[in-house]
Coordinates of all heavy atoms in Angstrom, one line a residue:
M2 N 68.5 117.8 62.4 CA 67.3 117.4 63.2 C 67.2 118.3 64.4 O 68.2 118.7 65.0 CB 67.3 116.0 63.6 CG 67.3 115.0 62.4 SD 66.4 113.6 62.9 CE 65.2 113.6 61.8
G3 N 66.0 118.4 64.9 CA 65.8 119.3 66.0 C 65.7 118.6 67.3 O 65.9 117.4 67.5
G4 N 64.9 119.4 68.2 CA 64.8 118.9 69.6 C 63.3 118.4 69.9 O 62.5 118.4 69.0
F5 N 63.1 118.0 71.0 CA 61.9 117.4 71.5 C 61.1 118.6 72.1 O 61.7 119.5 72.9 CB 62.1 116.5 72.5 CG 61.0 115.4 72.7 CD1 60.8 114.4 71.8 CD2 60.1 115.6 73.7 CE1 59.9 113.4 72.1 CE2 59.2 114.6 73.9 CZ 59.1 113.6 73.1
V6 N 59.9 118.9 71.7 CA 59.2 120.2 72.0 C 57.9 120.0 72.9 O 57.4 119.0 72.9 CB 58.9 121.0 70.8 CG1 60.2 121.5 70.2 CG2 58.0 120.3 69.9
Q7 N 57.5 121.0 73.5 CA 56.4 121.0 74.4 C 55.3 121.9 73.9 O 55.8 123.1 73.5 CB 56.7 121.3 75.8 CG 55.7 121.7 76.7 CD 56.1 122.0 78.1 OE1 56.7 121.2 78.8 NE2 56.0 123.2 78.5
G8 N 54.1 121.6 73.9 CA 53.1 122.6 73.6 C 53.2 123.1 72.2 O 53.6 122.4 71.2
G9 N 52.8 124.3 71.9 CA 52.9 124.9 70.5 C 51.8 124.4 69.7 O 50.9 123.7 70.1
E10 N 51.7 125.0 68.6 CA 50.7 124.7 67.6 C 51.4 124.3 66.3 O 52.4 124.9 65.9 CB 50.0 126.1 67.3 CG 48.5 126.1 67.4 CD 48.0 127.5 67.2 OE1 47.9 127.8 66.1 OE2 47.7 128.1 68.2
V11 N 50.7 123.4 65.6 CA 51.2 123.0 64.3 C 50.5 123.8 63.3 O 49.3 124.0 63.4 CB 51.0 121.4 64.0 CG1 51.3 121.1 62.6 CG2 51.6 120.7 65.1
Q12 N 51.2 124.4 62.4 CA 50.6 125.2 61.4 C 50.7 124.5 60.0 O 51.8 124.1 59.7 CB 51.2 126.7 61.3 CG 51.0 127.4 62.5 CD 51.5 128.8 62.4 OE1 52.0 129.2 61.3 NE2 51.4 129.6 63.4
V13 N 49.6 124.4 59.3 CA 49.6 123.8 58.0 C 49.4 125.0 56.9 O 48.5 125.7 57.0 CB 48.4 122.8 57.9 CG1 48.4 122.1 56.6 CG2 48.6 121.7 59.0
L14 N 50.3 124.9 56.0 CA 50.1 125.8 54.9 C 49.1 125.4 53.9 O 49.2 124.2 53.4 CB 51.5 126.1 54.2 CG 52.4 126.8 55.0 CD1 53.8 126.9 54.2 CD2 52.1 128.3 55.4
E15 N 48.2 126.2 53.5 CA 47.3 125.8 52.4 C 48.0 126.0 51.1 O 49.0 126.8 51.0 CB 46.1 126.7 52.4 CG 45.2 126.4 53.7 CD 44.6 125.1 53.8 OE1 44.4 124.4 52.9 OE2 44.6 124.7 55.0
R16 N 47.6 125.4 50.0 CA 48.3 125.5 48.7 C 48.4 127.0 48.3 O 49.4 127.4 47.8 CB 47.6 124.8 47.7 CG 48.2 124.7 46.3 CD 47.5 123.9 45.3 NE 47.8 122.6 45.5 CZ 48.7 121.8 45.0 NH1 49.7 122.5 44.3 NH2 48.9 120.6 45.2
A17 N 47.4 127.9 48.6 CA 47.4 129.2 48.2 C 48.5 130.0 48.9 O 48.9 131.0 48.5 CB 46.0 129.8 48.4
Q18 N 48.9 129.5 50.0 CA 50.0 130.2 50.9 C 51.4 130.0 50.4 O 52.3 130.6 50.8 CB 49.8 129.8 52.3 CG 48.5 130.3 53.0 CD 48.4 129.8 54.4 OE1 48.3 128.6 54.6 NE2 48.5 130.7 55.3
V19 N 51.6 129.0 49.5 CA 52.9 128.6 49.1 C 53.3 129.6 48.0 O 52.6 129.8 47.1 CB 53.0 127.2 48.7 CG1 54.4 126.8 48.1 CG2 52.5 126.2 49.7
V20 N 54.5 130.2 48.1 CA 55.0 131.1 47.1 C 56.0 130.4 46.2 O 56.9 129.8 46.7 CB 55.7 132.3 47.9 CG1 56.2 133.2 46.8 CG2 54.7 133.0 48.8
R21 N 55.8 130.5 45.0 CA 56.7 129.9 44.0 C 57.6 130.9 43.6 O 57.2 132.1 43.2 CB 56.0 129.3 42.8 CG 55.1 128.2 43.2 CD 54.4 127.5 42.0 NE 53.4 126.5 42.4 CZ 53.7 125.3 42.7 NH1 54.9 124.8 42.8 NH2 52.7 124.5 43.1
A22 N 59.0 130.7 43.7 CA 59.9 131.6 43.2 C 61.1 130.9 42.7 O 61.4 129.7 43.1 CB 60.3 132.5 44.5
P23 N 61.8 131.5 41.7 CA 63.0 130.9 41.2 C 64.1 130.8 42.3 O 64.2 131.6 43.1 CB 63.5 131.7 40.0 CG 62.8 133.0 40.4 CD 61.5 132.8 41.0
V24 N 64.8 129.7 42.2 CA 66.0 129.5 43.2 C 67.3 129.9 42.4 O 67.5 129.2 41.3 CB 66.0 128.1 43.7 CG1 67.2 127.9 44.6 CG2 64.7 127.7 44.4
A25 N 68.1 130.7 43.1 CA 69.3 131.1 42.4 C 70.2 129.9 42.4 O 70.1 129.0 43.3 CB 69.9 132.2 43.2
A26 N 71.2 129.8 41.4 CA 72.2 128.9 41.4 C 73.0 128.6 42.7 O 73.4 129.6 43.3 CB 73.2 129.1 40.2
G27 N 73.1 127.5 43.2 CA 73.8 127.2 44.3 C 73.0 127.4 45.6 O 73.5 127.3 46.8
V28 N 71.7 127.8 45.5 CA 70.9 128.0 46.7 C 69.9 126.9 46.7 O 69.3 126.6 45.7 CB 70.2 129.4 46.6 CG1 69.3 129.6 47.8 CG2 71.4 130.5 46.6
G29 N 69.7 126.4 47.9 CA 68.6 125.3 48.0 C 67.8 125.5 49.3 O 68.0 126.5 50.1
V30 N 66.8 124.7 49.4 CA 65.9 124.7 50.5 C 66.2 123.4 51.3 O 66.3 122.4 50.8 CB 64.5 124.8 50.1 CG1 63.5 124.7 51.3 CG2 64.2 126.1 49.3
A31 N 66.3 123.6 52.6 CA 66.5 122.5 53.5 C 65.3 122.2 54.4 O 64.6 123.2 54.9 CB 67.7 122.6 54.4
V32 N 65.0 121.1 54.7 CA 63.8 120.7 55.5 C 64.4 120.0 56.7 O 65.1 119.0 56.6 CB 62.7 119.9 54.8 CG1 61.6 119.5 55.7 CG2 62.1 120.7 53.6
R33 N 64.1 120.4 57.9 CA 64.5 119.7 59.1 C 63.3 119.2 59.8 O 62.2 119.7 59.6 CB 65.2 120.6 60.0 CG 66.5 121.3 59.4 CD 67.5 121.4 60.4 NE 68.7 122.1 59.7 CZ 69.9 121.7 60.0 NH1 70.1 120.8 60.9 NH2 70.9 122.2 59.4
A34 N 63.5 118.2 60.6 CA 62.4 117.6 61.3 C 62.6 117.8 62.8 O 63.7 117.9 63.3 CB 62.4 116.2 61.0
I35 N 61.6 117.8 63.6 CA 61.6 117.9 65.0 C 60.6 116.9 65.6 O 59.7 116.4 64.9 CB 61.1 119.4 65.5 CG1 59.7 119.7 65.2 CG2 62.2 120.4 65.1 CD1 59.2 120.9 65.8
L36 N 60.9 116.5 66.8 CA 59.9 115.7 67.5 C 59.1 116.5 68.4 O 59.6 117.4 69.0 CB 60.7 114.7 68.5 CG 61.6 113.6 67.7 CD1 62.4 112.8 68.8 CD2 60.7 112.7 66.9
A37 N 57.8 116.4 68.3 CA 56.9 117.3 69.0 C 56.0 116.4 69.9 O 55.8 115.3 69.5 CB 56.1 118.1 68.1
T38 N 55.6 116.9 71.0 CA 54.7 116.2 71.9 C 53.7 117.2 72.6 O 53.8 118.4 72.4 CB 55.5 115.5 73.0 OG1 54.6 114.7 73.7 CG2 56.3 116.4 73.9
H39 N 52.8 116.7 73.4 CA 51.9 117.5 74.2 C 52.6 117.8 75.5 O 53.5 117.1 76.0 CB 50.6 116.8 74.3 CG 50.8 115.5 74.9 ND1 50.8 115.2 76.3 CD2 50.9 114.3 74.4 CE1 51.0 114.0 76.5 NE2 51.1 113.3 75.4
D40 N 52.1 118.8 76.1 CA 52.7 119.2 77.5 C 52.4 118.2 78.6 O 52.9 118.3 79.7 CB 52.3 120.5 77.9 CG 50.8 120.8 78.0 OD1 50.0 119.8 78.0 OD2 50.4 121.9 78.3
G41 N 51.6 117.1 78.3 CA 51.4 116.1 79.4 C 52.4 115.0 79.4 O 52.3 114.2 80.3
L42 N 53.3 115.0 78.5 CA 54.3 114.0 78.6 C 55.2 114.3 79.8 O 55.8 115.4 79.8 CB 55.2 114.0 77.2 CG 56.2 112.9 77.1 CD1 55.6 111.6 77.0 CD2 57.1 113.2 75.9
D43 N 55.5 113.3 80.5 CA 56.4 113.5 81.6 C 57.9 113.8 81.3 O 58.3 113.3 80.2 CB 56.2 112.3 82.6 CG 56.8 111.0 82.1 OD1 56.1 110.3 81.3 OD2 57.9 110.7 82.4
E44 N 58.6 114.3 82.2 CA 60.0 114.8 81.9 C 61.0 113.6 81.7 O 61.7 113.6 80.8 CB 60.4 115.7 83.0 CG 59.9 117.0 83.0 CD 60.5 118.0 84.0 OE1 61.7 117.9 84.2 OE2 59.8 118.9 84.5
K45 N 60.7 112.5 82.5 CA 61.5 111.4 82.3 C 61.5 110.7 81.0 O 62.4 110.4 80.3 CB 61.2 110.3 83.5 CG 62.0 109.2 83.5 CD 61.6 108.2 84.7 CE 62.4 107.0 84.6 NZ 62.0 106.0 85.7
T46 N 60.2 110.6 80.5 CA 60.0 110.0 79.2 C 60.5 110.8 78.0 O 61.3 110.3 77.2 CB 58.5 109.7 78.9 OG1 58.0 108.9 79.9 CG2 58.3 109.1 77.6
A47 N 60.4 112.2 78.1 CA 60.9 112.9 77.1 C 62.5 112.9 77.1 O 63.1 112.8 76.1 CB 60.5 114.4 77.3
Y48 N 63.0 112.9 78.3 CA 64.5 112.9 78.5 C 65.0 111.5 77.8 O 66.0 111.6 77.0 CB 64.8 112.9 80.0 CG 66.3 112.7 80.2 CD1 67.2 113.7 80.3 CD2 66.8 111.4 80.4 CE1 68.6 113.5 80.5 CE2 68.2 111.1 80.6 CZ 69.0 112.2 80.7 OH 70.4 112.0 80.9
H49 N 64.4 110.4 78.0 CA 64.9 109.2 77.6 C 64.6 109.0 76.0 O 65.5 108.4 75.4 CB 64.3 108.0 78.3 CG 64.9 107.9 79.6 ND1 66.2 107.4 79.9 CD2 64.4 108.2 80.8 CE1 66.4 107.4 81.2 NE2 65.4 107.9 81.8
V50 N 63.6 109.7 75.5 CA 63.4 109.6 74.0 C 64.6 110.4 73.4 O 65.2 109.9 72.4 CB 62.1 110.2 73.6 CG1 62.0 110.5 72.2 CG2 60.9 109.3 74.1
V51 N 64.9 111.6 73.9 CA 65.9 112.4 73.2 C 67.3 111.8 73.5 O 68.1 111.6 72.5 CB 65.9 113.8 73.9 CG1 67.1 114.7 73.4 CG2 64.6 114.5 73.6
K52 N 67.6 111.2 74.6 CA 68.8 110.4 74.9 C 68.9 109.2 74.0 O 70.1 109.0 73.3 CB 68.8 110.0 76.3 CG 70.0 109.2 76.7 CD 70.1 108.9 78.2 CE 71.4 108.1 78.5 NZ 71.6 107.8 79.9
A53 N 67.9 108.5 73.8 CA 67.9 107.3 72.8 C 68.2 107.7 71.4 O 69.0 107.1 70.7 CB 66.6 106.6 73.0
L54 N 67.6 108.9 71.0 CA 67.9 109.3 69.6 C 69.3 109.7 69.4 O 70.0 109.2 68.5 CB 67.0 110.5 69.4 CG 67.2 111.2 68.1 CD1 66.7 110.3 66.9 CD2 66.5 112.5 68.0
Y55 N 69.8 110.6 70.3 CA 71.2 111.1 70.0 C 72.4 110.1 70.5 O 73.5 110.3 70.1 CB 71.3 112.5 70.7 CG 70.6 113.5 69.9 CD1 69.4 114.0 70.5 CD2 71.0 113.8 68.7 CE1 68.6 114.9 69.8 CE2 70.3 114.8 67.9 CZ 69.1 115.3 68.5 OH 68.3 116.2 67.7
E56 N 72.0 109.0 71.2 CA 73.0 108.1 71.7 C 73.0 106.9 70.8 O 73.7 105.9 71.1 CB 72.9 107.7 73.1 CG 73.2 109.1 74.0 CD 73.4 108.9 75.4 OE1 73.2 107.8 76.0 OE2 73.4 109.9 76.2
N57 N 72.3 106.9 69.8 CA 72.1 105.7 68.9 C 72.1 106.3 67.4 O 71.6 105.6 66.5 CB 70.8 104.9 69.1 CG 70.9 104.2 70.5 OD1 71.6 103.3 70.6 ND2 70.2 104.8 71.4
T58 N 72.8 107.3 67.1 CA 72.9 107.9 65.8 C 73.6 106.9 64.8 O 73.3 106.9 63.6 CB 73.6 109.2 65.8 OG1 74.8 109.2 66.4 CG2 72.7 110.2 66.5
D59 N 74.6 106.1 65.3 CA 75.1 105.1 64.5 C 74.4 104.1 63.9 O 74.3 103.7 62.7 CB 76.4 104.5 65.2 CG 76.0 103.7 66.5 OD1 75.0 104.2 67.1 OD2 76.7 102.9 67.0
T60 N 73.3 103.7 64.7 CA 72.3 102.7 64.3 C 71.3 103.4 63.4 O 71.0 102.7 62.3 CB 71.6 102.1 65.5 OG1 72.5 101.6 66.4 CG2 70.4 101.1 65.1
L61 N 70.9 104.6 63.7 CA 70.0 105.3 62.7 C 70.7 105.4 61.4 O 69.9 105.3 60.4 CB 69.6 106.7 63.3 CG 68.8 106.7 64.6 CD1 68.8 108.1 65.3 CD2 67.5 106.2 64.3
A62 N 71.9 105.7 61.3 CA 72.6 105.9 60.0 C 72.6 104.6 59.1 O 72.6 104.6 57.9 CB 74.0 106.4 60.3
K63 N 72.6 103.5 59.9 CA 72.6 102.2 59.2 C 71.3 101.8 58.7 O 71.0 101.1 57.7 CB 73.1 101.1 60.2 CG 74.5 101.2 60.6 CD 75.0 100.1 61.5 CE 76.3 100.4 62.0 NZ 76.6 99.4 63.1
V64 N 70.2 102.3 59.3 CA 68.8 101.8 59.0 C 68.1 102.9 58.1 O 67.0 102.5 57.6 CB 68.0 101.5 60.2 CG1 68.7 100.3 61.0 CG2 67.8 102.7 61.1
H65 N 68.5 104.1 58.0 CA 67.8 105.1 57.2 C 68.9 106.1 56.5 O 69.8 106.4 57.2 CB 66.9 105.9 58.1 CG 65.9 106.7 57.1 ND1 66.2 107.8 56.6 CD2 64.6 106.4 56.8 CE1 65.2 108.3 55.9 NE2 64.1 107.4 56.0
V66 N 68.6 106.4 55.3 CA 69.5 107.2 54.5 C 69.7 108.5 55.2 O 70.8 109.1 55.2 CB 69.2 107.3 53.1 CG1 67.9 108.1 52.9 CG2 70.2 108.0 52.3
K67 N 68.7 109.1 55.8 CA 68.9 110.4 56.5 C 69.4 110.3 57.9 O 69.7 111.1 58.6 CB 67.5 111.1 56.5 CG 67.0 111.6 55.1 CD 68.0 112.6 54.7 CE 67.4 113.3 53.4 NZ 68.3 114.3 53.0
G68 N 69.4 109.1 58.4 CA 69.9 108.9 59.8 C 71.3 109.3 60.1 O 71.7 109.8 61.1
K69 N 72.1 109.3 59.0 CA 73.6 109.8 59.2 C 73.6 111.3 59.3 O 74.7 111.8 59.7 CB 74.4 109.4 58.0 CG 73.9 110.0 56.6 CD 74.8 109.5 55.6 CE 74.4 110.2 54.3 NZ 74.0 109.2 53.1
E70 N 72.6 112.0 59.0 CA 72.5 113.5 59.2 C 72.1 114.0 60.6 O 72.2 115.1 60.9 CB 71.6 114.1 58.1 CG 72.0 113.8 56.7 CD 71.1 114.4 55.7 OE1 70.2 115.2 56.1 OE2 71.2 113.9 54.6
I71 N 71.7 113.0 61.5 CA 71.3 113.3 62.7 C 72.6 113.5 63.7 O 73.3 112.5 63.8 CB 70.3 112.2 63.4 CG1 69.1 112.2 62.5 CG2 70.0 112.6 64.8 CD1 68.2 111.1 62.9
S72 N 72.7 114.5 64.3 CA 73.9 114.8 65.2 C 73.5 115.7 66.4 O 72.6 116.6 66.2 CB 75.0 115.3 64.5 OG 74.8 116.7 64.1
L73 N 74.1 115.4 67.5 CA 73.8 116.3 68.7 C 74.3 117.7 68.5 O 73.7 118.6 68.9 CB 74.5 115.6 70.0 CG 74.2 116.3 71.3 CD1 72.8 116.4 71.6 CD2 75.0 115.6 72.4
A74 N 75.3 117.9 67.7 CA 75.9 119.1 67.3 C 74.9 120.1 66.6 O 74.9 121.3 66.8 CB 77.2 119.0 66.5
K75 N 73.9 119.4 65.8 CA 73.0 120.2 65.1 C 71.6 120.2 65.7 O 70.6 120.7 65.2 CB 72.9 119.6 63.7 CG 74.2 119.8 62.9 CD 74.0 119.2 61.5 CE 75.3 119.2 60.7 NZ 75.1 118.7 59.4
A76 N 71.5 119.6 66.9 CA 70.2 119.3 67.5 C 69.3 120.5 67.7 O 68.0 120.4 67.5 CB 70.4 118.5 68.8
L77 N 69.8 121.6 68.0 CA 69.0 122.8 68.2 C 69.0 123.8 67.2 O 68.5 125.0 67.4 CB 69.5 123.4 69.6 CG 69.4 122.5 70.8 CD1 69.9 123.1 72.1 CD2 68.0 122.0 71.0
E78 N 69.6 123.5 66.0 CA 69.8 124.6 65.0 C 68.4 125.1 64.5 O 68.4 126.3 64.1 CB 70.5 123.9 63.8 CG 72.0 123.9 64.1 CD 72.8 123.4 62.8 OE1 72.2 123.1 61.8 OE2 74.0 123.3 63.0
S79 N 67.4 124.3 64.4 CA 66.2 124.8 63.8 C 65.0 124.9 64.8 O 63.9 125.0 64.3 CB 65.8 123.8 62.6 OG 66.8 123.9 61.6
V80 N 65.2 124.8 66.0 CA 64.3 124.7 67.0 C 63.7 126.1 67.2 O 64.5 127.0 67.6 CB 64.6 124.1 68.3 CG1 63.5 124.1 69.3 CG2 65.0 122.6 68.1
S81 N 62.5 126.4 66.9 CA 61.8 127.7 67.2 C 60.7 127.7 68.0 O 60.0 128.8 68.3 CB 61.5 128.3 65.7 OG 60.5 127.4 65.2
I82 N 60.5 126.7 68.8 CA 59.5 126.6 69.8 C 60.0 126.1 71.1 O 61.1 125.5 71.0 CB 58.3 125.7 69.3 CG1 58.8 124.3 68.9 CG2 57.4 126.3 68.1 CD1 57.6 123.4 68.5
P83 N 59.4 126.3 72.2 CA 60.0 125.9 73.5 C 60.3 124.3 73.5 O 59.7 123.6 73.0 CB 58.9 126.2 74.5 CG 58.0 127.2 73.9 CD 58.1 126.9 72.4
L84 N 61.5 124.1 74.2 CA 61.8 122.7 74.4 C 61.1 122.1 75.6 O 60.7 122.8 76.5 CB 63.4 122.6 74.8 CG 64.3 123.0 73.8 CD1 65.8 123.2 74.4 CD2 64.4 122.0 72.7
H85 N 60.8 120.8 75.4 CA 60.1 120.1 76.6 C 61.2 120.1 77.7 O 62.4 120.0 77.5 CB 59.8 118.6 76.1 CG 59.0 118.0 77.2 ND1 59.6 117.5 78.3 CD2 57.7 117.6 77.2 CE1 58.7 116.8 79.1 NE2 57.6 116.9 78.4
P86 N 60.8 120.3 78.9 CA 61.8 120.3 80.1 C 62.6 119.0 80.1 O 63.8 119.1 80.5 CB 60.8 120.4 81.3 CG 59.7 121.0 80.9 CD 59.4 120.6 79.4
G87 N 62.1 117.8 79.8 CA 63.0 116.6 79.8 C 64.1 116.7 78.7 O 65.2 116.4 79.0
A88 N 63.8 117.2 77.6 CA 64.6 117.4 76.5 C 65.8 118.5 76.9 O 66.9 118.2 76.7 CB 64.0 117.8 75.1
E89 N 65.2 119.5 77.5 CA 66.1 120.6 77.9 C 67.2 120.0 78.9 O 68.3 120.4 78.8 CB 65.3 121.7 78.6 CG 66.1 122.9 78.9 CD 65.3 124.0 79.4 OE1 64.1 124.3 78.8 OE2 65.8 124.7 80.3
T90 N 66.7 119.1 79.8 CA 67.7 118.6 80.7 C 68.9 117.8 80.0 O 70.0 117.9 80.4 CB 66.9 117.6 81.7 OG1 66.0 118.3 82.5 CG2 67.9 116.9 82.7
Y91 N 68.4 117.0 79.0 CA 69.4 116.3 78.3 C 70.3 117.2 77.5 O 71.6 117.0 77.7 CB 68.7 115.3 77.3 CG 69.7 114.5 76.5 CD1 70.4 113.4 77.0 CD2 70.1 114.9 75.2 CE1 71.3 112.7 76.3 CE2 71.1 114.2 74.5 CZ 71.7 113.1 75.0 OH 72.6 112.5 74.3
Y92 N 69.9 118.2 76.9 CA 70.8 119.1 76.2 C 71.6 119.9 77.1 O 72.8 120.2 76.7 CB 69.9 120.1 75.3 CG 69.1 119.4 74.2 CD1 67.8 119.7 74.0 CD2 69.8 118.5 73.3 CE1 67.2 119.2 72.9 CE2 69.1 117.9 72.3 CZ 67.8 118.2 72.1 OH 67.1 117.6 71.0
R93 N 71.1 120.1 78.3 CA 71.9 120.9 79.2 C 73.1 120.0 79.8 O 74.2 120.4 79.9 CB 71.1 121.3 80.5 CG 71.8 122.3 81.4 CD 70.8 122.8 82.5 NE 69.5 123.3 82.1 CZ 69.3 124.5 81.5 NH1 70.3 125.3 81.3 NH2 68.1 124.8 81.1
E94 N 72.8 118.7 80.0 CA 73.9 117.8 80.4 C 74.9 117.6 79.3 O 76.1 117.5 79.7 CB 73.2 116.4 80.6 CG 72.4 116.2 81.9 CD 71.8 114.8 82.0 OE1 72.0 114.0 81.1 OE2 71.0 114.6 83.0
K95 N 74.6 117.8 78.1 CA 75.5 117.6 76.9 C 76.2 119.0 76.6 O 76.9 119.0 75.7 CB 74.8 117.1 75.7 CG 74.3 115.7 75.9 CD 75.5 114.8 76.3 CE 75.0 113.3 76.4 NZ 76.1 112.4 76.7
G96 N 75.8 120.0 77.4 CA 76.5 121.3 77.1 C 75.9 122.1 76.0 O 76.5 123.2 75.6
L97 N 74.8 121.8 75.5 CA 74.2 122.5 74.3 C 73.4 123.8 74.9 O 73.2 124.7 74.1 CB 73.3 121.7 73.5 CG 74.0 120.9 72.4 CD1 74.8 119.8 72.9 CD2 72.9 120.4 71.4
I98 N 73.0 123.7 76.2 CA 72.3 124.9 76.8 C 73.1 125.1 78.2 O 73.5 124.1 78.8 CB 70.9 124.3 77.1 CG1 70.1 124.0 75.8 CG2 70.1 125.6 77.9 CD1 68.7 123.5 76.2
K99 N 73.2 126.4 78.5 CA 73.8 126.7 79.7 C 72.8 127.0 80.7 O 71.8 127.3 80.6 CB 74.7 127.9 79.5 CG 75.9 127.7 78.5 CD 76.8 128.9 78.4 CE 78.0 128.5 77.6 NZ 79.0 129.4 77.6

């Protein structure tokens, strides 16, 4: 899972844009999720949302099958858009960002 983001644009692929190709043995496709918001969300709220997510992963694992896959260690693996300043503060506190 990813981080909490600011701004950016959501892009939707039309059916015609999807390319169908065979997948080699042992190769798969992974889908990650991110939390996204608008740039008007205050830093304190963004910080607390991210903190609540990563400091309650044990509960998430109990209530959703994919919850056990959420970890702070993987938080920034798939983030390709700017982090919200509040999320950035949390990740910096945890040592994920210098």
Side-chain angles (χ1 to χ4, degrees):
M2 291 215 124
F5 204 80
V6 296
Q7 165 180 296
E10 231 178 77
V11 175
Q12 294 186 2
V13 178
L14 291 177
E15 297 297 329
R16 183 176 285 273
Q18 292 175 293
V19 177
V20 177
R21 297 186 188 276
V24 177
V28 176
V30 177
V32 177
R33 299 212 181 222
I35 60 170
L36 295 175
T38 187
H39 55 84
D40 60 3
L42 183 69
D43 65 278
E44 289 186 33
K45 183 178 178 182
T46 300
Y48 173 89
H49 286 290
V50 167
V51 174
K52 180 177 179 174
L54 175 70
Y55 289 108
E56 294 184 8
N57 291 286
T58 55
D59 55 336
T60 300
L61 293 170
K63 292 176 188 173
V64 299
H65 194 281
V66 66
K67 291 293 190 179
K69 66 180 178 236
E70 296 176 20
I71 299 170
S72 74
L73 186 59
K75 296 179 182 179
L77 300 177
E78 283 184 0
S79 298
V80 177
S81 60
I82 56 180
L84 292 170
H85 187 287
E89 188 174 321
T90 297
Y91 179 79
Y92 293 133
R93 194 174 307 285
E94 286 177 1
K95 294 300 180 180
L97 274 69
I98 300 174
K99 293 184 179 192

